[in-house]
Amino acid sequence: MNRGKSSDETLIEMDRTTWSSGEENNGFHASSDKETLQLENAEVDKQQQSKDSVYFRDGIRRVDFVLSYIDDKDGEKKQDRRKEFEANLQKAGLELETEDKSESEDGKTYFLKIHVPWEVLATYADVLKIKVPFKTNDIPDKKDMPMSWLFTPYRLPEHVMQPEPDYFTATFDKSKTDFFLIEDKETFFPPSTRNRIVYYILSRCPYSKEDKDKKGIKRLLNNGTYTAAFPLHDCRYWTRSRDANCESERYSLYKYWARFTCFYKEQPLNLIRKYYGEKIGIYFAWLGFYTEMLSYAAVVGLLCFIYGVASFDENVWSKEICNETIGGQIVMCPLCDKKCGYWKLNTTCSASWQSYLFDNTATVFFAIFMGIWVTLFLEFWKRRQARLEYEWDLVDFEEEQQQLQLRPEYEIKCTSRQLNRVTQEMEPYLPLTSKCARSILSGATVLFWISLIIASIIGVIAYRLAVFAAFASIMKDSPTTKLDVVGTFITPQFATSVTASCINFVIIMILNFLYERVAIKITDMEVPRTHLEYENKLTVKMFLFQFVNYYSSCFYVAFFKGKFVGYPGSYAYMFGEWSGLRNEECEPGGCLIELTTQLVIVMVGKQVWGNIQEALVPWLLNWWVSRSARNHPESLYSRWEQDHDLQCFSQLGLFYEYLEMVIQFGFITLFVASFPLAPLLALMNNILEVRVDAWKFTTQFRRPVASKAHSIGAWEEILNMIAVFSVVTNAFIVSFTSDMIPRLVYKYAYNTGTENTMEGYISDSLSVFNISEFKPQNRPDDDENPDWFKSSNITTCRYRDYRYPPGHEKQYAHTMQFWHILAAKLAFIIIMEHVVFVVKFFVAWLIADVPSDVKARIKRERYLIQEYLHDYELEKLKIQLSQNSQNGPNIEECTCPTTAVTPVKLEVLSDCLT
């Protein structure tokens, strides 16, 4: 495309000559043609024509975009803005048609329909470097896999999976239209490309004569000039369009993809990409691949759980805890000051059995397996992504994205200009000093909010410590303890946990609500250059916040709770002894079972609530908005009104979908050593999630503006970070949260029997304390102790630790066994991390990021482009030389008659093309 100098830095003016008689007009109507067309349209009987159509009243021009507005009584400024905006749209070549408010269901909404003709499509396809087919793909597909018939029930029809033939593609060039495979100009560009081009124009079109910086549909939506802007769905989702020229792709997506009965079927990714664009297509491709890989992790996790159930009888230490002559005779020290009494170890019998289901030898194997699985997942996804990049013409997209799709906000706010060394044209830029200042302020804001979360967590922990003793005292003689069924469950621990969780939930929701808006504001303040850069910056900010928000409670239970409690007579306190807030000890069943419980509640609760919210809220809102119109026939309830009544898919809608899945990915990798069934729960959720998201997109949301994306963006780096971090967290969970290492050290080093068994482990793992040495502030009140304690002469109690007994020369100091166990824990961490990391890096090196057949196709396509372009230019030169030779003898007789045709200006709205 020939590029001229820009007007006001954003306009490229191009001359177009109206075609003389006998020449094709490429979809443009001359002014006389438009007047004739309007007269014909005025004669159309609207009652005879269905309004459930995606065409103008002439039934020929397709509606590529719709704007809606309400004509306010006091809206003169809005009217002026709309008038100027629409005039500029027409200057840019778009064709407009307005539906009067009398035609709308509510009687007050105007609908402005927009059609983009071929000349504008061709111009902007050249500007945006859109790839289009020029030759049918001649590389044969690989042969079917052996026994592929087994997968037949999971397959979809071929016309759904492959809605278009496979072509070699090249960047569109308006001057070489005959080089490409153009059969019909009206259908050459799919609707997703058409609405993307229209939105590109809308977002850069000025609406003020006085201030040329005032431009873009976003601003007009924010100030209420327009109420909505959206492309149209092609039909109702439950039935095909009556128009034979309409593709009815929405119906196909609903029938084969969005219905819950299709949960076991593959996804029609090519049709999704064609209808919604590459960005949404790549999300569903990633979600489907993630769900598929989860199936392998879920099977292995289930086998590890089955091993725990099958080896239940081998759990010697739980048998000792439950034994009346062993666990029933061990008196444990109080769990809190003053208000907690002595208790017997056998009261933790059921918790000990439950803990063994997840704290056994298979746990170590599963933790190592998940470290390798996550590497396989990421490496195979890179290959899958590379294949999609080629098939969806995104191989060179990143460079084009950076060069062409500047954010309009960046152009407006960056008043400085500098010379681009490549194009030798002036372009907007943000000075380095301003960029650094904005980044520092942004980073400080994020750190402040993360500190706020940490402060709130510390506050909740302090609350737990403060009220535990209070609940213990209040509930000792509470009537709830006499209830037959639930009485045993309503304990001080339960009451403390529930109230603290409720407080924590409220704090999380408030901080989420506030931080989301703050994150958008500070990202806007940074003025990112491109849409991709904007999304990546916002992604990092939001994930850092959500990471701390969702995982902090699990980190506290896994790595802090019960680790710094001191010992009887010298307990550790949160803010010092003066505060009276004694550090929490683990539940009687140990910290691992508590971490498992915490993980299950947070993970499952979040998933269930998220799916209900995602499915129910849009449905209720749509039901309420369209309650008076949903029974209208097609002839009255127009296609644009139907879509107008749907929910708007926000710019950050896909961001929240990714965030939900990445948070789940963190749960199943960071803490999977404590709960091997986590991948199974995630798999069950994701099978539902795919169909819920598909159902939302197809039935509850307006059609989003199509946009391109060659990858999942910053989320890929975040997943890599979680994958590396998960190896460390699982190694620490196995070492410090579970009892695996202490049991192995006892079995092979400290067992006094003739055979390596676990008999005597419980007594060996508990230290002894002299009750008489309790400080007054730690000693339980007399009325808090149970009757069996009062009636017996008990002088010592036991606690979980490895310390010398009273009377020893090093009494209450750590024993040598403690240091042996600590050394074994650290050694296990080092060995496990090195083994897993070596395997991870070897697997990553072994698996190529781009499949060999994709590399061959890319090379073949680039070769063909050069070859075909060379042949094309050579053929044109031959034709030109032949014409010149034929006209040569008569060249002096040839005269050039004057023509009355006048040039028509077409304004092309564009970024500064750098």
Side-chain angles (χ1 to χ4, degrees):
M1 185 184 77
N2 296 324
R3 296 173 183 168
K5 292 294 183 182
S6 63
S7 171
D8 295 328
E9 303 295 339
T10 58
L11 293 179
I12 299 176
E13 294 191 354
M14 302 179 60
D15 288 338
R16 172 172 62 83
T17 305
T18 54
W19 293 266
S20 56
S21 60
E23 293 190 48
E24 189 180 25
N25 65 0
N26 285 332
F28 273 84
H29 298 280
S31 57
S32 59
D33 294 334
K34 287 185 178 179
E35 292 174 2
T36 305
L37 184 62
Q38 290 171 356
L39 291 173
E40 292 175 354
N41 290 341
E43 297 173 0
V44 174
D45 187 355
K46 297 178 183 178
Q47 298 301 323
Q48 299 297 323
Q49 181 184 15
S50 172
K51 295 178 72 177
D52 187 31
S53 171
V54 293
Y55 292 94
F56 275 22
R57 296 191 191 100
D58 58 12
I60 299 173
R61 292 173 294 171
R62 188 184 186 102
V63 179
D64 296 308
F65 222 89
V66 173
L67 306 180
S68 66
Y69 62 91
I70 297 175
D71 199 1
D72 300 331
K73 295 180 180 179
D74 303 325
E76 293 184 5
K77 289 185 177 179
K78 295 180 180 179
Q79 289 180 4
D80 293 339
R81 286 195 289 259
R82 281 195 294 266
K83 185 177 180 181
E84 180 66 19
F85 185 69
E86 291 169 14
N88 288 330
L89 290 180
Q90 289 178 319
K91 287 180 183 178
L94 299 183
E95 299 178 5
L96 312 179
E97 184 177 82
T98 303
E99 290 287 332
D100 191 74
K101 64 180 180 180
S102 61
E103 297 290 326
S104 64
E105 188 274 331
D106 60 6
K108 59 182 181 180
T109 303
Y110 292 86
F111 291 95
L112 178 68
K113 298 177 288 185
I114 301 174
H115 170 74
V116 52
W118 167 258
E119 183 71 12
V120 180
L121 283 172
T123 300
Y124 280 94
D126 199 336
V127 170
L128 296 175
K129 304 299 180 186
I130 293 173
K131 291 187 175 182
V132 294
F134 69 92
K135 183 184 184 300
T136 305
N137 193 337
D138 59 0
I139 299 179
D141 292 330
K142 289 185 177 180
K143 295 181 179 180
D144 293 337
M145 294 177 58
M147 301 182 70
S148 60
W149 57 271
L150 290 174
F151 301 97
T152 302
Y154 311 104
R155 304 292 186 196
L156 290 175
E158 186 65 21
H159 73 277
V160 177
M161 291 300 298
Q162 301 292 339
E164 295 177 325
D166 192 10
Y167 294 108
F168 288 121
T169 59
T171 302
F172 185 80
D173 189 336
K174 185 181 176 183
S175 63
K176 300 180 177 66
T177 54
D178 51 340
F179 173 73
F180 304 100
L181 300 178
I182 304 177
E183 296 180 0
D184 184 356
K185 291 181 178 179
E186 292 300 318
T187 59
F188 180 65
F189 293 106
S192 58
T193 301
R194 298 172 70 99
N195 72 57
R196 178 185 164 213
I197 289 175
V198 175
Y199 188 75
Y200 184 90
I201 298 173
L202 292 175
S203 62
R204 288 157 178 81
C205 185
Y207 58 83
S208 174
K209 292 181 179 179
E210 295 79 15
D211 188 356
K212 292 298 182 182
D213 285 339
K214 291 184 176 180
K215 57 184 175 181
I217 189 63
K218 278 187 180 179
R219 282 191 170 190
L220 293 175
L221 290 171
N222 291 336
N223 60 33
T225 303
Y226 290 99
T227 57
F230 54 92
L232 289 179
H233 284 295
D234 58 6
C235 65
R236 298 188 175 194
Y237 67 85
W238 64 85
T239 183
R240 291 187 178 276
S241 173
R242 294 183 179 180
D243 192 334
N245 295 323
C246 189
E247 302 86 354
S248 296
E249 290 174 347
R250 186 189 188 193
Y251 168 76
S252 297
L253 286 170
Y254 176 73
K255 180 179 179 181
Y256 296 106
W257 178 52
R259 294 193 300 180
F260 294 98
T261 53
C262 300
F263 73 93
Y264 61 94
K265 297 280 189 180
E266 60 184 338
Q267 295 187 86
L269 294 177
N270 289 318
L271 185 58
I272 297 169
R273 173 247 182 171
K274 182 184 176 186
Y275 192 76
Y276 290 113
E278 288 80 2
K279 190 172 184 178
I280 291 176
I282 206 82
Y283 163 74
F284 280 103
W286 176 81
L287 179 58
F289 184 80
Y290 171 46
T291 304
E292 180 183 344
M293 289 296 291
L294 270 177
S295 62
Y296 304 109
V299 170
V300 177
L302 182 60
L303 291 175
C304 291
F305 179 76
I306 292 173
Y307 170 82
V309 175
S311 61
F312 213 54
D313 290 337
E314 299 175 10
N315 185 3
V316 177
W317 55 92
S318 291
K319 292 179 180 179
E320 290 185 350
I321 291 175
C322 299
N323 194 318
E324 282 292 334
T325 60
I326 302 176
Q329 300 301 316
I330 297 177
V331 178
M332 301 296 292
C333 298
L335 295 174
C336 68
D337 295 340
K338 291 290 188 179
K339 300 299 181 182
C340 296
Y342 298 95
W343 52 283
K344 290 186 177 181
L345 183 61
N346 64 350
T347 58
T348 66
C349 177
S350 59
S352 175
W353 284 107
Q354 294 168 11
S355 179
Y356 175 77
L357 293 175
F358 308 107
D359 189 6
N360 53 63
T361 310
T363 301
V364 180
F365 164 77
F366 191 62
I368 296 174
F369 168 81
M370 287 301 294
I372 300 171
W373 172 88
V374 73
T375 303
L376 292 172
F377 163 63
L378 294 174
E379 292 302 318
F380 282 125
W381 166 246
K382 289 178 185 177
R383 291 172 63 85
R384 177 66 172 137
Q385 187 171 260
R387 189 176 297 279
L388 289 175
E389 282 184 31
Y390 168 73
E391 292 177 354
W392 293 356
D393 302 321
L394 301 169
V395 173
D396 301 319
F397 170 70
E398 185 171 11
E399 182 179 354
E400 296 165 10
Q401 168 83 8
Q402 294 294 334
Q403 291 182 348
L404 298 174
Q405 297 191 9
L406 294 180
R407 297 175 63 241
E409 295 85 353
Y410 179 83
E411 295 182 273
I412 295 169
K413 293 180 181 180
C414 295
T415 56
S416 302
R417 294 288 188 272
Q418 71 177 6
L419 184 68
N420 186 294
R421 295 182 180 180
V422 178
T423 62
Q424 294 297 307
E425 294 182 359
M426 299 301 291
E427 66 175 10
Y429 83 103
L430 193 65
L432 182 61
T433 53
S434 176
K435 184 180 294 186
C436 290
R438 293 169 187 267
S439 298
I440 292 172
L441 180 58
S442 174
T445 305
V446 174
L447 288 176
F448 168 77
W449 279 87
I450 290 178
S451 301
L452 202 60
I453 297 176
I454 296 174
S456 68
I457 293 167
I458 294 174
V460 172
I461 295 171
Y463 166 83
R464 293 170 64 104
L465 301 179
V467 303
F468 177 74
F471 275 123
S473 177
I474 294 171
M475 300 180 68
K476 181 181 62 174
D477 299 321
S478 174
T480 56
T481 58
K482 299 179 176 61
L483 296 176
D484 293 335
V485 179
V486 298
T488 56
F489 295 98
I490 305 177
T491 62
Q493 292 92 336
F494 176 81
T496 302
S497 179
V498 169
T499 54
S501 298
C502 292
I503 293 172
N504 192 40
F505 175 76
V506 172
I507 292 173
I508 287 175
M509 296 304 295
I510 293 174
L511 292 178
N512 270 343
F513 177 80
L514 297 175
Y515 181 78
E516 177 185 323
R517 284 147 183 80
V518 171
I520 294 173
K521 290 289 185 183
I522 60 178
T523 306
D524 290 338
M525 179 199 66
E526 291 183 69
V527 196
R529 178 184 176 87
T530 65
H531 295 283
L532 180 63
E533 186 180 344
Y534 180 90
E535 290 180 1
N536 289 346
K537 285 179 178 291
L538 183 61
T539 296
V540 172
K541 291 181 181 65
M542 286 295 293
F543 179 75
L544 285 175
F545 180 84
Q546 298 287 2
F547 183 90
V548 178
N549 216 4
Y550 281 105
Y551 301 144
S552 56
S553 59
C554 291
F555 271 100
Y556 168 71
V557 174
F559 305 121
F560 295 98
K561 186 174 181 180
K563 305 298 185 296
F564 310 101
V565 297
Y567 63 93
S570 182
Y571 286 116
Y573 291 81
M574 188 173 185
F575 299 114
E577 194 169 348
W578 61 268
S579 65
L581 298 177
R582 175 175 148 189
N583 286 350
E584 271 190 299
E585 295 187 41
C586 292
E587 291 294 320
C591 277
L592 187 72
I593 189 64
E594 189 172 349
L595 176 60
T596 302
T597 305
Q598 181 82 12
L599 184 65
V600 171
I601 291 174
V602 175
M603 182 178 172
V604 176
K606 181 181 180 301
Q607 291 178 348
V608 171
W609 172 251
N611 280 323
I612 292 175
Q613 191 177 31
E614 286 183 16
L616 191 61
V617 172
W619 181 81
L620 288 175
L621 291 174
N622 288 334
W623 176 85
W624 179 257
V625 170
S626 62
R627 63 191 184 282
S628 61
R630 55 180 171 266
N631 293 324
H632 288 351
E634 291 181 0
S635 59
L636 298 179
Y637 196 27
S638 64
R639 162 85 355 245
W640 40 91
E641 286 181 279
Q642 294 174 43
D643 287 6
H644 182 266
D645 288 343
L646 298 177
Q647 294 301 300
C648 176
F649 186 73
S650 70
Q651 183 182 1
L652 298 177
L654 210 56
F655 166 82
Y656 291 114
E657 300 294 344
Y658 274 119
L659 181 62
E660 178 186 2
M661 288 295 101
V662 172
I663 292 294
Q664 181 206 81
F665 181 81
F667 279 125
I668 68 164
T669 54
L670 294 173
F671 309 102
V672 75
S674 67
F675 187 49
L677 292 179
L680 179 62
L681 296 179
L683 174 65
M684 295 168 62
N685 171 81
N686 287 10
I687 291 174
L688 182 64
E689 179 76 20
V690 171
R691 304 304 161 179
V692 168
D693 287 348
W695 177 79
K696 284 191 310 181
F697 274 96
T698 309
T699 68
Q700 302 302 307
F701 284 126
R702 297 171 188 160
R703 186 174 185 173
V705 178
S707 57
K708 284 184 174 290
H710 77 292
S711 68
I712 60 176
W715 296 113
E716 190 168 344
E717 294 302 319
I718 290 174
L719 291 174
N720 280 313
M721 180 198 72
I722 293 176
V724 173
F725 196 37
S726 66
V727 178
V728 180
T729 57
N730 283 303
F732 272 85
I733 287 173
V734 172
S735 293
F736 288 97
T737 309
S738 80
D739 288 335
M740 178 65 63
I741 303 301
R743 289 199 295 262
L744 292 176
V745 170
Y746 172 80
K747 182 176 181 180
Y748 294 106
Y750 285 88
N751 184 11
T752 57
T754 56
E755 297 182 0
N756 292 330
T757 65
M758 294 303 297
E759 292 181 2
Y761 167 72
I762 291 299
S763 180
D764 181 77
S765 65
L766 298 174
S767 298
V768 181
F769 182 76
N770 192 335
I771 291 176
S772 63
E773 296 181 25
F774 264 123
K775 295 178 181 179
Q777 62 269 27
N778 301 135
R779 186 178 295 114
D781 295 336
D782 292 337
D783 57 346
E784 300 293 342
N785 292 322
D787 294 336
W788 55 262
F789 181 83
K790 297 176 183 178
S791 61
S792 59
N793 186 21
I794 298 175
T795 58
T796 61
C797 64
R798 309 291 292 271
Y799 59 98
R800 289 169 58 96
D801 209 340
Y802 294 91
R803 294 180 183 270
Y804 289 109
H808 193 277
E809 60 179 1
K810 297 181 181 179
Q811 69 172 6
Y812 305 135
H814 283 122
T815 64
M816 188 55 66
Q817 185 176 355
F818 170 83
W819 299 111
H820 287 168
I821 291 174
L822 180 61
K825 289 179 177 180
L826 296 176
F828 175 82
I829 292 173
I830 294 172
I831 293 172
M832 178 178 169
E833 286 182 358
H834 280 71
V835 169
V836 175
F837 281 134
V838 167
V839 174
K840 280 169 65 70
F841 291 134
F842 176 74
V843 169
W845 170 81
L846 190 64
I847 301 175
D849 290 347
V850 182
S852 57
D853 64 312
V854 172
K855 290 181 180 179
R857 287 170 181 262
I858 293 173
K859 291 178 180 178
R860 171 70 174 162
E861 186 170 288
R862 287 174 176 169
Y863 167 76
L864 284 177
I865 291 174
Q866 293 179 351
E867 183 183 36
Y868 271 59
L869 278 175
H870 174 268
D871 294 343
Y872 173 81
E873 295 291 350
L874 189 62
E875 189 66 27
K876 285 185 67 175
L877 181 60
K878 288 180 180 178
I879 295 173
Q880 185 177 356
L881 292 174
S882 174
Q883 292 176 346
N884 290 341
S885 63
Q886 293 175 4
N887 298 331
N890 302 323
I891 193 166
E892 293 181 357
E893 301 176 6
C894 179
T895 59
C896 296
T898 58
T899 177
V901 178
T902 58
V904 178
K905 293 275 186 160
L906 173 64
E907 293 185 348
V908 180
L909 301 169
S910 174
D911 288 317
C912 295
L913 303 176
T914 58

